[in-house]
Amino acid sequence: MRKNSTKNIRINGEVQRVLAEIIRGELKDPRVSSLTSVVSVEVAPDLKTCKAWISVYGDEQARKDTLEGLNSAAGFIRRELAERVNLRNTPEIHFIADQSIAYGVKMSRLIDQVNQGKENSNS
């Protein structure tokens, strides 16, 4: 199976949906923030590994605690994933902090500051 095949894209979407359900509803770890979302999932073509990009609303400590909680619960999450998604192999999940939303907010603020500076100089 190729990396960007239709089957692989469909598997990525299904794994992302189920991971979000498990993290939102099944996980009881207090370290995992309730404002956690699964931004993207990339399952390897051989179905052995999976990279899951996780976004956490909050400060750096909340992001760090959430990743620790998810990594410690990786076995439970993998077992739940195996029960809900019918795959030949259940992938080993690697959680990665996604900084794109925070980066976008930062860039938007910088653009707003530049625009305000231009408005003030034109007045």
Side-chain angles (χ1 to χ4, degrees), residues 30-48:
R31 294 177 290 184
V32 177
S33 171
S34 61
L35 300 173
T36 301
S37 61
V38 181
V39 176
S40 178
V41 169
E42 184 180 304
V43 179
D46 63 357
L47 304 177
K48 300 282 186 193

Side-chain angles (χ1 to χ4, degrees), residues 21-83:
E21 286 177 4
I22 293 169
I23 291 170
R24 188 177 337 111
E26 305 293 325
L27 221 50
K28 302 287 190 263
D29 194 327
R31 294 177 290 184
V32 177
S33 171
S34 61
L35 300 173
T36 301
S37 61
V38 181
V39 176
S40 178
V41 169
E42 184 180 304
V43 179
D46 63 357
L47 304 177
K48 300 282 186 193
T49 60
C50 169
K51 293 178 184 176
W53 283 270
I54 304 296
S55 177
V56 181
Y57 183 76
D59 60 353
E60 187 62 35
Q61 187 62 39
R63 189 174 298 116
K64 182 181 164 195
D65 290 344
T66 298
L67 281 176
E68 282 179 15
L70 289 172
N71 285 323
S72 79
F76 169 78
I77 294 171
R78 187 175 182 192
R79 189 183 77 232
E80 288 292 316
L81 185 65
E83 289 178 6

Side-chain angles (χ1 to χ4, degrees), residues 75-110:
F76 169 78
I77 294 171
R78 187 175 182 192
R79 189 183 77 232
E80 288 292 316
L81 185 65
E83 289 178 6
R84 297 179 189 196
V85 180
N86 185 18
L87 295 173
R88 185 175 349 115
N89 298 318
T90 303
E92 181 181 335
I93 304 166
H94 301 283
F95 295 103
I96 302 167
D98 182 60
Q99 305 290 341
S100 62
I101 295 173
Y103 179 77
V105 169
K106 178 181 175 186
M107 293 308 291
S108 179
R109 286 184 185 147
L110 290 173

Side-chain angles (χ1 to χ4, degrees), residues 1-13 41-47 49 51 53:
M1 178 171 62
R2 291 186 317 253
K3 189 172 185 176
N4 291 327
S5 69
T6 304
K7 182 178 179 182
N8 195 276
I9 292 169
R10 206 170 60 240
I11 289 171
N12 289 345
V41 169
E42 184 180 304
V43 179
D46 63 357
L47 304 177
T49 60
K51 293 178 184 176
W53 283 270

